[in-house]
Amino acid sequence: MSIRDLRYLVALADTLHFGKAAERCHVTQSTLSIQVKKLEEYLGIAVFDRNHAKVELTEHGAEIVRQARVAVSAFDRMRRYAGEQRVAGAH
């Protein structure tokens, strides 16, 4: 599991559309789909219900996505902080 995978998960939760989520993440739809499926397998829980008409969060998926948002946000804050310290000349 990587931050990239969590970003894919959040994008899919935001759009509920594989094509739009892939576009947002600048990857192909198949790449996003495969990575989300691998993440679900890793977690051992379905985050999304998929059918031909729509994509929906599962009951437990909503909590998984909430936690993914927290993790992505924390990672982004850490990266910004490190960048600020580099600019300031910190070691």
Side-chain angles (χ1 to χ4, degrees):
M1 177 170 33
S2 69
I3 287 293
R4 180 195 68 213
D5 296 337
L6 297 179
R7 288 186 194 285
Y8 293 171
L9 195 76
V10 169
L12 185 54
D14 287 347
T15 62
L16 297 178
H17 188 277
F18 280 94
K20 290 177 183 175
E23 187 176 304
R24 181 184 286 187
C25 294
H26 308 289
V27 296
T28 65
Q29 184 173 335
S30 64
T31 295
L32 185 126
S33 179
I34 289 167
Q35 289 307 118
V36 167
K37 187 67 175 165
K38 283 182 181 180
L39 181 58
E40 289 176 316
E41 289 170 1
Y42 175 81
L43 294 172
I45 190 166
V47 177
F48 298 98
D49 280 330
R50 303 156 172 86
N51 65 42
H52 295 305
K54 59 186 172 179
V55 176
E56 295 179 319
L57 281 167
T58 63
E59 177 184 343
H60 300 293
E63 177 60 19
I64 297 292
V65 170
R66 186 193 69 75
Q67 291 181 31
R69 289 182 197 282
V70 170
V72 168
S73 178
F75 179 82
D76 289 344
R77 284 192 311 275
M78 179 182 62
R79 206 172 71 194
R80 277 192 305 276
Y81 175 78
E84 290 165 2
Q85 297 314 302
R86 281 192 312 272
V87 169
H91 295 292

